[in-house]
Amino acid sequence: MTLRVGIIGAGPSGLAQLRAFESARQKGAAIPEILCFEKQDDWGGQWNNSWRIGLDGHGEPVHSSMYRHLWSNGPKECLEFSDYSFDEHFGRPISSFPPREVLFDYIKGRVEKSDVRKYVRFNTVARHTSYNEATQEFTLTVEDLKTNLTETHVFDKLVVATGHFSVPSVPEFKGIKTFPGEVLHAHDFRGAERFYGKNLLMIGSSYSAEDIGMQAHKMGAASITISYRTAPMGYHWPENTVERPLVTHFQGSTAHFSDGTQGDFDAVVLGTGYQHKYPFLPSALSLKSPNVLYPGNLYKGVVWQQNTNLFYLGAQDQYYTFNMFDAQAWFARDVMTGAIDLPPLAQREADIQLWLERQAALPDHDAEADFQTDYLRELIDATDYPSFDLDAVSQLFKDWMRHKHDDILGYRDMVHRSVVTGTMATKHHTRWLNAMDDSLERYLHGPSQDIDTDTPDAVTDTLVAR
Amino acid sequence: MTLRVGIIGAGPSGLAQLRAFESARQKGAAIPEILCFEKQDDWGGQWNNSWRIGLDGHGEPVHSSMYRHLWSNGPKECLEFSDYSFDEHFGRPISSFPPREVLFDYIKGRVEKSDVRKYVRFNTVARHTSYNEATQEFTLTVEDLKTNLTETHVFDKLVVATGHFSVPSVPEFKGIKTFPGEVLHAHDFRGAERFYGKNLLMIGSSYSAEDIGMQAHKMGAASITISYRTAPMGYHWPENTVERPLVTHFQGSTAHFSDGTQGDFDAVVLGTGYQHKYPFLPSALSLKSPNVLYPGNLYKGVVWQQNTNLFYLGAQDQYYTFNMFDAQAWFARDVMTGAIDLPPLAQREADIQLWLERQAALPDHDAEADFQTDYLRELIDATDYPSFDLDAVSQLFKDWMRHKHDDILGYRDMVHRSVVTGTMATKHHTRWLNAMDDSLERYLHGPSQDIDTDTPDAVTDTLVAR
């Protein structure tokens, strides 16, 4: 009987799983019966952004956390598919930090080239999963959001590819209930235009706080205050941006910080992170983890320890993204088909423990990049995913972090070399700080004649802190 | 074997069901095994408001649609529990339109007086329901949001009391994706303070659009434009408020209306209504209905036609609220215990059809109030819920609607007489338009010495349109 594989989510991870099977099929292998469920009306996951906040048009939690004017915050050369290069997609070199729509176009290009859309049931949300130990089958209840009909499907293997940057962590703050201005989580942030002339408080000290803060700066916010719990990010911020320790409480529009300082704010954005949440799974199958590079209980970061018919993709904190999801999907595919033999439970546990110990000892961000590089290397070595120069990519991450440290407003103007094709990125026609149109069309077809034109010599060759 | 009853939701409807059984117990009846699941950490449903928008602290959709400075928009005399009066709770007469915290206090007072909190599992969300036709049992999967553990419970009867004003309807509008200001649904509105000096666009023509629009007026918005699909509300709006037909599209911050007019806006609030949504139910048990006074497929508005072990409370559009939920809960209780014999399916269907036909012919709002009054009368006549003068309440609704028509900013300053106790409400110490503190404490203990003081003679005795 043909293996039946269910995939939940058609974002970068779910699409990687479809692509992994398609790749095997193209090489002549028999592939399983595949069904992928996607609650949005198109694929792309995070990259399929929405203007809605909170709940979507069907009353389901909005998946994407992206916003207008989001440009990649890492070099595209670090996430390039090794089986589908940027050169192949765009037909010419592009810059290293493209905006959302450009990356979405790239993701779609690969899967549109393969014939995998037929596997995806759109507007269909996973509701409930049960596992029968005797038959070793999953029964998955899904709901068609257009008809509201629920139905069940039986699978031998289940792939959880719903991501973990969609369900916000929203802690309580004393007095926030009567803060008169806007209060929202980064997940619900859709653009910083309305912060023009405003005093913005960001709470958090990771990518969300950093990038939304600088979006507000770019759009003319009067001031940006970034409040951290543990340590400041310490970038060379623009003059209107400061870091403060954690908010102790709000009084009206005033936030009080733990160092005794205070400030009046027009709006608060919580960059307080996301939770792993899988409401369609019973707790026995549901990953609980903080956002770390190596969550426990997943062999090779992919296979659920207590039930090796269950797979998670992209459950890690991420230096690598698209290419890591690929390597995981190729690995999961080979475990499902038996091409990779799993060692027994104890041996898998020992392997996980080695990774967890190494993770616990990581001294800095450079070491983190190397850690995930080594993880990825293991997956790629175990499968036929096209190999690439992983050490070069790890070096790219380190260069990128140094650039960010040197110039938080300018690092996106730097260019990097593809390890897949050897192509050097081109400088974009407009500096990120001046780019006020984030469309694919403007990106590809040159600067407009007005606000976001840079004359070529205005493009910084050496980046300086502003 | 003792009947096992599961109740989903501990808002006004779920609490009514608990109270219905408690009332029977106090009269000496044996009552079922009861278990009520509430996803929030306290009871009160809508009245247990939150500063969060979108998803709550556990990553579940936020339940309450309420906001700061929400004062009852109907007379409290129309929703008074006939077994627990406002006089009993507050010990003295109060005004007819109290703020949220005061009504929340009242709801809690009744259930705290009974010993029903023991039946409620807080922080516990319903995930999935199945029904076994052979055993006539429901299996309900719930998740403890604090431990993330899922567990299943078996019930003979299931009461759906999750309300239907929590999951927003959020239609698409051309160009809204690039509207630079804030865009949110009324469900995520938490206060109008930040609309001071701003130009607000409300889309919708029901309670949300009306009240949020006037909240913005009260808080000093520069202008309020209310866009309707079918017909304007036609109130005597303040000078800075206009009604326009439906938005055809947005271009930047400009909204274009179907009458060819346009306007620039700082923010858009969608008062576009709510959906019936029961993600924890299979489609065969899930009510689908627009927001109407008599949804189909529920006998006496309560009993699911195809499975009479399933009950819905509060699924109607509402003139009556708390007291209607009570009457429904008393009726559901008596059906569950067999005190009320259900007629056969065809006879129930004929009864539903009569109501639906009458509903379809309702000529105006006054007739709607009478319609729901008659519905309530049937329920109360069938049970031992303490009767009250329903015709007097129906007249109260009509008076209230006339007051609103005469003075949309002043109707909350009117006073009404309780049909339960005969007590005349007192005039509140501060006119609604001037009341800038909506706390229970300020409500009960008199005006502050600053912004929201009215001298007694400043209280309008006759209301005039402003």
Side-chain angles (χ1 to χ4, degrees):
Chain A
M1 184 173 153
T2 308
L3 205 64
R4 296 158 300 180
V5 175
I7 303 169
I8 305 177
S13 294
L15 294 178
Q17 193 64 70
L18 292 178
R19 177 74 192 114
F21 282 114
E22 177 66 8
S23 167
R25 197 191 59 74
Q26 286 171 346
K27 291 182 179 176
I31 65 165
E33 280 179 25
I34 301 170
L35 207 44
C36 174
F37 302 100
E38 168 54 52
K39 76 175 178 179
Q40 299 192 79
D41 63 3
D42 197 4
W43 52 24
Q46 282 284 1
W47 300 87
N48 177 20
N49 73 331
S50 171
W51 60 269
R52 293 180 177 86
I53 62 172
L55 301 181
D56 69 16
H58 294 296
E60 299 295 316
V62 168
H63 183 76
S64 179
S65 301
M66 293 200 181
Y67 36 87
R68 289 187 299 278
H69 297 289
L70 179 143
W71 294 62
S72 180
N73 65 351
K76 77 178 196 302
E77 290 77 11
C78 292
L79 53 76
E80 191 166 14
F81 299 122
S82 77
D83 70 342
Y84 187 75
S85 67
F86 280 97
D87 285 1
E88 178 177 352
H89 184 74
F90 289 103
R92 60 172 166 99
I94 63 169
S95 73
S96 281
F97 297 83
R100 181 198 64 79
E101 199 177 335
V102 173
L103 283 170
F104 189 18
D105 196 68
Y106 171 63
I107 298 168
K108 287 192 290 192
R110 181 171 75 151
V111 281
E112 284 165 1
K113 190 184 153 195
S114 336
D115 184 25
V116 297
R117 197 169 176 98
K118 64 188 176 204
Y119 299 123
V120 187
R121 288 271 305 271
F122 293 100
N123 296 298
T124 304
V125 64
R127 286 276 181 241
H128 184 254
T129 308
S130 62
Y131 185 72
N132 185 324
E133 292 285 351
T135 61
Q136 301 205 0
E137 289 173 330
F138 296 95
T139 300
L140 178 67
T141 303
V142 301
E143 180 178 343
D144 182 319
L145 294 167
K146 288 194 153 176
T147 64
N148 293 119
L149 292 176
T150 45
E151 55 185 42
T152 57
H153 295 269
V154 176
F155 296 110
D156 304 297
K157 312 287 176 182
L158 192 64
V159 180
V160 178
T162 51
H164 62 109
F165 295 120
S166 280
V167 180
S169 290
V170 193
E172 186 66 44
F173 293 91
K174 191 179 164 193
I176 201 167
K177 203 164 184 170
T178 49
F179 179 84
E182 195 178 354
V183 179
L184 73 167
H185 188 277
H187 176 59
D188 289 327
F189 170 80
R190 292 290 175 268
E193 298 93 332
R194 66 179 179 265
F195 297 142
Y196 177 87
K198 302 285 186 192
N199 296 299
L200 173 66
L201 174 60
M202 296 292 322
I203 301 182
S205 52
S206 188
Y207 296 109
S208 294
E210 162 211 318
D211 196 53
I212 294 173
M214 292 305 93
Q215 292 282 338
H217 170 76
K218 178 171 168 173
M219 295 298 169
S223 75
I224 298 106
T225 301
I226 307 178
S227 160
Y228 57 86
R229 179 184 296 275
T230 309
M233 289 181 275
Y235 291 113
H236 303 296
W237 302 110
E239 277 188 7
N240 64 350
T241 302
V242 294
E243 293 194 74
R244 292 271 178 271
L246 198 62
V247 174
T248 57
H249 61 289
F250 290 88
Q251 273 183 312
S253 60
T254 304
H256 295 263
F257 302 98
S258 63
D259 62 358
T261 61
Q262 61 186 69
D264 284 349
F265 297 98
D266 297 300
V268 179
V269 178
L270 304 173
T272 44
Y274 293 88
Q275 359 180 351
H276 282 271
K277 183 150 179 128
Y278 309 97
F280 51 85
L281 290 177
S283 41
L285 301 178
S286 183
L287 178 65
K288 293 296 153 200
S289 175
N291 181 33
V292 293
L293 293 173
Y294 217 94
N297 211 47
L298 293 174
Y299 176 64
K300 299 298 178 198
V302 172
V303 188
W304 188 246
Q305 267 289 63
Q306 291 76 28
N307 182 335
T308 55
N309 293 320
L310 179 67
F311 302 82
Y312 281 83
L313 302 181
Q316 294 70 21
D317 195 10
Q318 293 152 16
Y319 281 76
Y320 291 86
T321 54
F322 302 161
N323 41 11
M324 181 170 75
F325 310 150
D326 272 11
Q328 293 181 323
W330 258 250
F331 185 85
R333 178 199 68 191
D334 288 355
V335 172
M336 289 186 224
T337 59
I340 289 177
D341 274 331
L342 287 180
L345 181 77
Q347 208 171 316
R348 300 197 305 268
E349 190 61 33
D351 186 79
I352 292 173
Q353 286 307 320
L354 281 178
W355 283 102
L356 293 179
E357 283 161 26
R358 188 176 157 194
Q359 173 174 259
L362 290 171
D364 57 25
H365 294 312
D366 280 7
E368 289 175 4
D370 287 336
F371 176 86
Q372 197 158 62
T373 299
D374 289 345
Y375 164 63
L376 202 53
R377 194 189 321 272
E378 269 204 8
L379 294 177
I380 291 177
D381 287 351
T383 66
D384 68 350
Y385 187 69
S387 194
F388 56 93
D389 186 344
L390 283 155
D391 292 324
V393 177
S394 199
Q395 186 56 48
L396 278 181
F397 281 119
K398 294 168 192 169
D399 293 345
W400 161 69
M401 289 188 279
R402 200 167 50 250
H403 295 162
K404 275 183 74 171
H405 176 78
D406 291 346
D407 186 358
I408 189 68
L409 295 175
Y411 73 90
R412 286 188 175 98
D413 302 324
M414 301 296 280
V415 292
H416 299 276
R417 184 179 300 281
S418 165
V419 302
V420 176
T421 58
T423 300
M424 191 68 188
T426 54
K427 271 197 189 302
H428 189 48
H429 53 67
T430 306
R431 278 165 43 194
W432 172 80
L433 193 58
N434 297 335
M436 292 298 175
D437 182 339
D438 62 345
S439 68
L440 173 66
E441 188 188 352
R442 175 58 40 80
Y443 181 81
L444 292 178
H445 299 134
S448 72
Q449 298 310 306
D450 44 76
I451 186 168
D452 59 0
T453 306
D454 281 343
T455 54
D457 58 350
V459 178
T460 46
D461 282 312
T462 53
L463 294 166
V464 290
R466 283 173 197 84
Chain B
M1 185 172 149
T2 308
L3 204 65
R4 297 158 299 181
V5 175
I7 302 169
I8 305 178
S13 294
L15 294 177
Q17 194 62 70
L18 293 178
R19 176 74 193 114
F21 282 114
E22 178 67 8
S23 166
R25 197 191 58 76
Q26 286 171 346
K27 292 182 179 176
I31 65 165
E33 282 179 22
I34 300 169
L35 206 45
C36 175
F37 302 99
E38 169 55 52
K39 76 175 180 181
Q40 299 193 77
D41 63 2
D42 197 4
W43 51 24
Q46 282 285 0
W47 301 87
N48 177 21
N49 73 330
S50 170
W51 60 269
R52 292 179 177 88
I53 62 172
L55 301 181
D56 69 15
H58 294 297
E60 298 296 316
V62 168
H63 184 75
S64 180
S65 302
M66 292 200 182
Y67 36 88
R68 290 187 298 278
H69 298 287
L70 178 143
W71 295 61
S72 179
N73 64 351
K76 76 179 196 303
E77 290 77 11
C78 292
L79 54 76
E80 190 165 14
F81 299 122
S82 78
D83 70 343
Y84 187 74
S85 68
F86 280 98
D87 285 1
E88 177 177 353
H89 184 75
F90 289 103
R92 61 172 166 96
I94 61 169
S95 73
S96 280
F97 297 83
R100 181 198 64 80
E101 198 177 337
V102 173
L103 283 171
F104 189 18
D105 197 66
Y106 171 62
I107 299 168
K108 287 192 288 192
R110 180 170 76 150
V111 282
E112 284 165 1
K113 191 184 154 195
S114 339
D115 184 26
V116 297
R117 198 170 175 97
K118 64 188 176 202
Y119 299 124
V120 187
R121 288 269 306 271
F122 293 99
N123 297 298
T124 303
V125 65
R127 286 274 182 243
H128 184 254
T129 307
S130 61
Y131 185 72
N132 185 325
E133 292 285 349
T135 62
Q136 302 204 0
E137 289 174 331
F138 296 95
T139 300
L140 178 67
T141 303
V142 301
E143 180 179 342
D144 182 322
L145 294 167
K146 288 194 153 175
T147 64
N148 293 118
L149 291 176
T150 45
E151 55 186 42
T152 58
H153 295 270
V154 176
F155 296 110
D156 304 298
K157 312 286 177 183
L158 191 64
V159 180
V160 178
T162 51
H164 62 108
F165 295 121
S166 280
V167 179
S169 291
V170 193
E172 185 68 43
F173 293 91
K174 191 180 165 194
I176 201 168
K177 203 163 185 172
T178 49
F179 179 83
E182 195 177 354
V183 179
L184 73 168
H185 187 276
H187 176 59
D188 290 327
F189 170 79
R190 293 291 176 266
E193 299 94 331
R194 66 178 178 266
F195 298 142
Y196 178 87
K198 301 287 188 191
N199 297 300
L200 173 66
L201 174 61
M202 296 292 320
I203 300 182
S205 53
S206 188
Y207 296 109
S208 294
E210 162 210 318
D211 196 53
I212 294 173
M214 291 306 93
Q215 293 283 337
H217 170 76
K218 179 171 169 174
M219 297 299 169
S223 75
I224 298 106
T225 301
I226 306 178
S227 159
Y228 57 87
R229 180 185 294 277
T230 309
M233 289 182 274
Y235 291 113
H236 302 296
W237 301 111
E239 278 187 7
N240 64 351
T241 302
V242 295
E243 294 194 74
R244 291 272 178 268
L246 197 61
V247 174
T248 56
H249 62 288
F250 290 88
Q251 272 182 313
S253 60
T254 304
H256 295 263
F257 302 99
S258 63
D259 62 357
T261 62
Q262 61 186 69
D264 283 350
F265 297 98
D266 298 300
V268 179
V269 179
L270 305 173
T272 43
Y274 293 89
Q275 6 181 343
H276 282 271
K277 181 149 181 132
Y278 309 97
F280 51 85
L281 290 177
S283 41
L285 302 178
S286 183
L287 178 64
K288 292 297 154 201
S289 175
N291 181 33
V292 293
L293 293 174
Y294 217 94
N297 211 47
L298 293 174
Y299 177 64
K300 298 301 177 195
V302 172
V303 189
W304 188 246
Q305 268 290 63
Q306 292 75 29
N307 181 335
T308 57
N309 293 319
L310 179 67
F311 302 83
Y312 280 83
L313 301 181
Q316 294 70 21
D317 194 11
Q318 293 152 15
Y319 281 77
Y320 292 86
T321 54
F322 302 161
N323 41 11
M324 180 171 74
F325 310 150
D326 272 11
Q328 294 181 323
W330 257 252
F331 185 84
R333 178 199 69 189
D334 288 355
V335 172
M336 288 186 225
T337 61
I340 290 176
D341 275 332
L342 287 180
L345 180 76
Q347 209 171 316
R348 300 198 304 269
E349 191 59 33
D351 186 80
I352 292 173
Q353 286 307 320
L354 282 178
W355 284 103
L356 293 180
E357 282 162 26
R358 187 177 159 193
Q359 172 174 260
L362 291 171
D364 56 25
H365 294 310
D366 280 8
E368 288 176 2
D370 286 337
F371 175 86
Q372 197 157 63
T373 299
D374 289 344
Y375 164 62
L376 202 52
R377 195 189 322 270
E378 269 204 10
L379 294 177
I380 292 177
D381 286 351
T383 67
D384 69 349
Y385 187 68
S387 194
F388 56 94
D389 186 344
L390 284 154
D391 292 324
V393 178
S394 198
Q395 186 56 49
L396 279 181
F397 281 119
K398 294 168 192 167
D399 293 345
W400 160 70
M401 289 188 280
R402 201 168 46 252
H403 294 163
K404 276 183 73 171
H405 177 77
D406 291 345
D407 186 356
I408 189 69
L409 296 176
Y411 72 90
R412 286 188 174 97
D413 302 325
M414 300 297 280
V415 292
H416 299 277
R417 184 179 300 281
S418 166
V419 301
V420 175
T421 58
T423 301
M424 191 68 188
T426 55
K427 270 197 189 301
H428 188 48
H429 54 66
T430 306
R431 276 165 43 194
W432 173 79
L433 193 58
N434 297 332
M436 292 298 174
D437 182 338
D438 63 345
S439 68
L440 174 65
E441 188 189 352
R442 175 60 40 81
Y443 181 82
L444 292 178
H445 298 133
S448 72
Q449 299 308 306
D450 44 76
I451 187 168
D452 59 1
T453 305
D454 283 344
T455 54
D457 59 352
V459 177
T460 47
D461 282 312
T462 54
L463 295 166
V464 290
R466 285 175 194 82

